C-alpha cells in the first residue's frame, strides 16, 4: 500500500514524463536515427500550439496589469528599470563570452580534413539589421506595444470595470486551455530530442567539442555565479529558483525553445510572489531584450570563427564586435535557431571574419540552442524578481516545499 502511494505521485507528475520523453528521444535518435528524424513534427507541432497562446497571454496579462496599477507613472518606471537591467546584464554576458573564448581558444584546432562550405546563403535575408524591420517581424513586440497602449487607455474610459471583467474572464479561459495543452509537453520534448540526436548524431560534434564545452561551462558559470550573486544580494537562492521552475527548464531542454515555457513561467513567477504588472511587462520584453544565453553564444562563436581563420582582432575591433552584438542580439527572439541567423547578420556587419565559417557551426548550433534557451529563461526569471523587488512589489517568496527543503 505504501509503495503504491509513493509511486502514484511520480506517475502523475508532468516533470517525470517530460524527463522520460527526453531519455526516450535520445535513445531513439541513437539506435534508430531514420525513424527519429521523422519525429521532428512532434516537437515542432508542440511549439506551434504553444505559440498560439503567446500573443493572447501577453496581451491579457499586460492590459490587466497596467489597468490595475492606478499609477501610470509606475509603468514607465518599471520599463526603464527593466531595460537598464537588461542592457547591463546582457552586455556583461557578451563580455564574459569574449573573455572565455580568448582564454581557452576553442577555435585553435587542426583544420585539416574539415571541409568549409559556402554558408553565405544563410545570411541573405538578415544581412542588414534594421530596427524597423525587426519590429515588423517580431509579433511579440507588436503585441507588447499594443497591450501597453490599450492598458493605458483603459484607465481613461468610462466603463473601465466592465471591460476589465471581460478581459479577466478571457484570461481565465486562456490559462485554463493552456493547462490542458501542457499535458502534451512530453510529446513535444520527445519529438524535439529524437530529431536532434537522429539528425546530427554525436560524431559530427568531435571537431567542435571544445567550443561546445566552453559554451556550456560559461553559461553554467554565468547562471550560478553572476545570476546567483544577483539573487543572493536579495537573499534568494539560485537553487531554490531552479527547483521551482524545473518543469519549464525540462520543457525548454526538450524543445530548444524558451517560448514553449513563456506562459507557464509567467504564471509561476506570479505565484512565487512577483507582482502581475511586473511579470506582464518584464517577461515578454525580456524575450527580446534580455537573452543572456544567446549573448554568450554569439560572442563566443564570433571569436571562435576569428581564431579558426587566424583573423587578428585588436582591442578596438573587439569593442566594436561587442557593440554590434549589443544591437543584433536584440533580434534573437526565443525561437529555435534564431541565434544562428543573428550570428550571420553580425558577421556580415563586421566585414572581417569570413561568413563561410558559419558552415562549421551548422552541425552543433542545434545542440547549443538548448543551453541558450535555458539560460535565457533563467535570466528573464531573475530579471523579473529583481525588478519586482526594486518596486517593493514582491510578496514573501513561495518556492514550494521541495525547494525549501533543498535550501534548508
Amino acid at each position: 500500500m505504501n509503495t503504491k502511494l509513493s509511486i502514484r505521485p511520480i506517475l502523475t507528475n508532468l516533470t517525470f514524463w517530460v524527463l522520460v520523453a527526453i531519455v526516450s528521444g535520445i535513445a531513439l535518435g541513437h539506435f534508430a536515427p531514420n525513424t527519429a528524424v521523422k519525429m521532428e513534427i512532434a516537437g515542432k507541432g508542440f511549439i506551434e500550439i504553444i505559440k498560439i497562446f503567446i500573443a493572447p497571454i501577453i496581451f491579457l496579462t499586460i492590459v490587466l496589469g497596467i489597468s490595475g496599477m492606478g499609477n501610470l507613472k509606475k509603468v514607465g518606471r518599471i520599463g526603464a528599470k527593466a531595460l537598464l537591467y537588461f542592457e547591463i546584464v546582457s552586455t556583461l554576458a557578451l563580455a564574459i563570452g569574449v573573455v572565455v573564448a580568448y582564454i581557452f581558444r576553442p577555435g585553435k584546432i587542426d583544420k585539416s580534413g574539415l571541409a568549409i562550405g559556402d554558408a553565405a546563403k544563410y545570411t541573405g535575408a538578415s544581412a542588414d539589421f534594421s530596427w524597423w524591420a525587426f519590429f515588423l517581424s517580431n509579433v511579440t513586440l507588436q503585441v507588447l506595444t499594443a497591450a501597453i497602449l490599450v492598458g493605458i487607455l483603459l484607465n481613461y474610459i468610462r466603463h473601465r470595470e466592465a471591460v476589465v471583467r471581460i478581459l479577466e474572464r478571457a484570461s481565465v479561459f486562456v490559462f485554463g486551455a493552456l493547462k490542458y495543452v501542457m499535458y502534451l509537453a512530453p510529446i513535444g520534448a520527445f519529438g524535439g530530442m529524437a530529431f536532434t540526436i537522429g539528425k546530427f548524431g554525436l560524431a559530427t560534434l568531435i571537431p567542435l567539442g571544445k567550443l561546445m564545452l566552453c559554451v556550456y561551462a560559461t553559461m553554467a558559470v554565468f547562471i550560478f555565479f553572476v545570476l546567483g550573486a544577483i539573487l543572493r544580494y536579495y537573499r534568494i537562492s539560485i537553487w531554490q529558483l531552479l527547483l521551482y521552475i524545473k518543469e519549464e527548464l525540462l520543457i525548454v531542454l526538450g524543445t530548444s525553445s524558451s517560448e514553449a515555457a513563456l506562459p507557464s513561467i509567467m504564471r509561476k513567477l506570479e505565484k512565487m510572489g512577483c507582482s502581475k504588472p511586473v511579470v506582464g511587462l518584464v517577461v515578454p520584453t525580456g524575450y527580446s531584450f534580455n537573452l543572456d544565453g544567446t549573448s554568450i553564444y554569439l560572442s563566443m562563436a564570433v571569436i571562435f570563427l576569428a581564431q579558426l581563420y587566424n583573423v587578428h582582432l585588436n582591442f578596438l575591433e573587439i569593442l566594436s564586435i561587442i557593440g554590434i552584438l549589443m544591437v543584433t542580439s536584440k533580434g534573437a527572439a526565443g525561437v529555435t535557431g534564431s541565434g544562428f541567423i543573428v550570428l550571420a547578420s553580425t558577421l556580415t556587419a563586421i566585414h572581417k571574419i569570413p561568413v563561410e565559417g558559419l558552415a562549421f557551426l551548422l552541425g552543433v548550433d542545434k545542440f547549443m540552442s538548448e543551453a541558450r534557451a535555458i539560460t535565457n529563461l533563467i535570466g528573464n526569471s531573475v530579471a523579473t524578481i529583481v525588478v519586482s523587488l526594486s518596486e517593493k512589489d514582491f510578496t514573501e517568496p513561495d518556492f514550494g516545499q521541495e525547494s525549501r527543503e533543498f535550501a534548508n
Side-chain angles (χ1 to χ4, degrees), residues 117-131:
D118 182 10
K121 61 182 180 181
Y122 296 97
T123 68
S126 303
D128 298 319
F129 181 83
S130 166
W131 277 107

Side-chain angles (χ1 to χ4, degrees), residues 174-340:
V174 171
F175 276 103
L178 178 64
K179 177 182 178 181
Y180 291 100
V181 170
M182 291 308 296
Y183 288 123
L184 300 175
I187 298 176
F190 171 77
M193 190 60 66
F195 171 78
T196 300
I197 302 300
K199 177 71 174 179
F200 301 106
L202 298 179
T204 58
L205 303 181
I206 296 176
L208 298 170
K210 191 175 180 181
L211 173 64
M212 288 186 60
L213 181 62
C214 288
V215 169
Y216 272 82
T218 303
M219 291 185 186
V221 169
F222 183 84
I223 291 171
F224 290 106
F225 288 91
V226 178
L227 298 181
I230 293 174
L231 286 181
R232 178 58 61 184
Y233 177 80
Y234 294 101
R235 298 181 179 179
I236 296 176
S237 168
I238 185 67
W239 285 108
Q240 284 181 311
L241 176 63
L242 296 182
L243 285 170
Y244 181 66
I245 62 173
K246 59 184 181 299
E247 289 89 354
E248 288 71 26
L249 295 177
L250 286 171
I251 291 172
V252 171
L253 177 63
T255 62
S256 301
S257 172
S258 53
E259 276 195 349
L262 186 147
S264 57
I265 197 66
M266 292 176 69
R267 183 169 54 183
K268 272 201 170 180
L269 288 172
E270 287 181 23
K271 183 180 178 181
M272 168 187 163
C274 298
S275 67
K276 189 171 184 177
V278 172
V279 173
L281 283 171
V282 176
V283 175
T285 307
Y287 266 65
S288 290
F289 292 93
N290 187 44
L291 301 171
D292 300 329
T294 302
S295 297
I296 291 172
Y297 165 73
L298 291 174
S299 59
M300 294 190 73
V302 171
I303 302 302
F304 168 80
L305 293 176
Q307 294 170 351
L308 198 66
Y309 286 94
N310 291 317
V311 175
H312 175 71
L313 298 172
N314 58 42
F315 183 70
L316 291 178
E317 288 173 332
I318 294 174
L319 290 180
S320 298
I321 289 174
I322 294 177
I324 293 172
L325 287 172
M326 285 173 61
V327 177
T328 56
S329 63
K330 302 302 183 290
V335 180
T336 304
S338 59
F340 186 78

Side-chain angles (χ1 to χ4, degrees), residues 40-54 181 188 255 257 259-260 335-336:
E40 180 184 16
I41 188 173
K44 283 189 174 182
F46 175 72
I47 294 176
E48 292 302 320
I49 294 175
I50 288 294
K51 286 182 180 179
I52 296 174
F53 289 85
I54 301 297
V181 170
T255 62
S257 172
E259 276 195 349
V335 180
T336 304

Side-chain angles (χ1 to χ4, degrees), residues 114-176:
L114 298 180
I116 302 176
D118 182 10
K121 61 182 180 181
Y122 296 97
T123 68
S126 303
D128 298 319
F129 181 83
S130 166
W131 277 107
W132 179 243
F134 169 45
F135 179 80
L136 292 178
S137 63
N138 194 312
V139 177
T140 300
L141 280 184
Q142 295 173 19
V143 174
L144 179 65
T145 303
I148 292 174
L149 294 176
V150 172
I152 293 174
L153 290 175
L154 268 181
N155 286 277
Y156 295 99
I157 67 174
R158 180 176 300 177
H159 303 289
R160 171 183 172 277
E161 290 79 9
V163 176
V164 169
R165 281 197 296 270
I166 294 174
L167 293 177
E168 286 176 343
R169 292 194 192 100
S171 179
V172 172
F173 173 79
V174 171
F175 276 103

